[in-house]
Amino acid sequence: NAGVTQTPKFQVLKTGQSMTLQCAQDMNHEYMSWYRQDPGMGLRLIHYSVGAGITDQGEVPNGYNVSRSTTEDFPLRLLSAAPSQTSVYFCASSYDNQETQYFGPGTRLLVL
Amino acid sequence: DAKTTQPTSMDCAEGRAANLPCNHSTISGNEYVYWYRQIHSQGPQYIIHGLKNNETNEMASLIITEDRKSSTLILPHATLRDTAVYYCIVLPRGGSEKLVFGKGTKLTVNP
């Protein structure tokens, strides 16, 4: 199993540009989450999903959209990037909400 | 807001036990204590979790006080590869998709 994969590893955007951060898992996990991590800080939850077709907001959802059309994929969309969205983004998945989460390697995003 | 308090940093000599404390004085009866670690900006990695009994796995031991207001993560024989930020997280069973991370403890293992 590849586990949780994220693409791209690194991205530079200009203010106002849009992009999608990809996240995929091959463990047949129902639960998936997106977190962001700013320098010197812990991770903060952006959005999460408890199964295909079901998503919900986390602590810092503004400026981000998600959808979950398949069990395997959980993309995170930035509609109009802002410098405040410069961060490292981690995707995670778990079999259910009682199991531990497995994290991807992260995407480093720089918005100029 | 994170429900836990951890020291900002700790040091440990290689080969010795590393004992990382965590205070969670407002923990509820249905909440578990989870430990994750993050090595050099990689994705966090699960270590161990427990409710009220002490737990041990191949990575670490978790000691929870009888009143459950604090716990200690023990790495029995720390290596240089254990240098990381360690996060203590309290959450109810059935909430693992919504982890709340504080700033954690930066553990430095010295040769």
Side-chain angles (χ1 to χ4, degrees):
Chain A
N1 287 347
V4 180
T5 58
Q6 293 184 239
T7 56
K9 287 187 171 60
F10 183 72
Q11 182 71 48
V12 179
L13 291 178
K14 295 181 179 179
T15 297
Q17 286 184 315
S18 63
M19 80 160 294
T20 299
L21 281 64
Q22 301 293 343
C23 175
Q25 51 87 13
D26 61 357
M27 298 175 282
N28 200 32
H29 286 173
E30 289 293 325
Y31 287 71
M32 297 185 74
S33 306
W34 274 104
Y35 298 83
R36 61 176 288 176
Q37 185 173 32
D38 299 320
M41 304 291 290
L43 284 71
R44 291 184 292 170
L45 182 65
I46 305 172
H47 285 284
Y48 64 97
S49 168
V50 301
I54 306 170
T55 64
D56 206 346
Q57 296 180 348
E59 180 187 356
V60 288
N62 293 340
Y64 307 94
N65 281 351
V66 292
S67 60
R68 184 94 180 274
S69 56
T70 67
T71 299
E72 294 78 20
D73 300 297
F74 190 40
L76 179 72
R77 280 183 286 276
L78 284 71
L79 299 179
S80 179
S84 60
Q85 294 178 304
T86 293
S87 190
V88 181
Y89 292 84
F90 291 100
C91 179
S93 74
S94 60
Y95 180 72
D96 60 28
N97 64 356
Q98 298 188 27
E99 296 299 321
T100 60
Q101 285 200 316
Y102 293 86
F103 284 79
T107 292
R108 285 153 180 77
L109 177 66
L110 174 63
V111 183
L112 302 174
Chain B
D1 290 335
K3 302 180 181 179
T4 62
T5 303
Q6 300 178 250
T8 301
S9 63
M10 295 183 64
D11 286 277
C12 176
E14 187 177 21
R16 306 298 291 266
N19 298 290
L20 291 88
C22 179
N23 286 325
H24 32 78
S25 59
T26 61
I27 192 170
S28 300
N30 67 338
E31 290 183 318
Y32 286 67
V33 180
Y34 283 76
W35 283 84
Y36 281 76
R37 73 180 182 183
Q38 188 174 25
I39 298 173
H40 191 53
S41 298
Q42 297 177 18
Q45 175 190 25
Y46 166 80
I47 302 173
I48 198 168
H49 74 279
L51 181 62
K52 56 183 178 181
N53 297 320
N54 298 339
E55 302 288 344
T56 296
N57 63 20
E58 65 277 5
M59 289 182 67
S61 295
L62 174 61
I63 308 298
I64 302 174
T65 58
E66 191 170 346
D67 63 6
R68 302 206 326 121
K69 292 185 177 182
S70 66
S71 60
T72 301
L73 178 75
I74 301 172
L75 307 179
H77 304 287
T79 70
L80 299 179
R81 287 175 291 182
D82 292 321
T83 292
V85 178
Y86 287 77
Y87 297 99
C88 171
I89 300 169
V90 167
L91 75 164
R93 196 72 166 154
S96 64
E97 77 279 13
K98 295 178 284 185
L99 297 174
V100 178
F101 289 82
K103 294 186 178 181
T105 296
K106 174 61 189 276
L107 174 69
T108 302
V109 181
N110 300 305

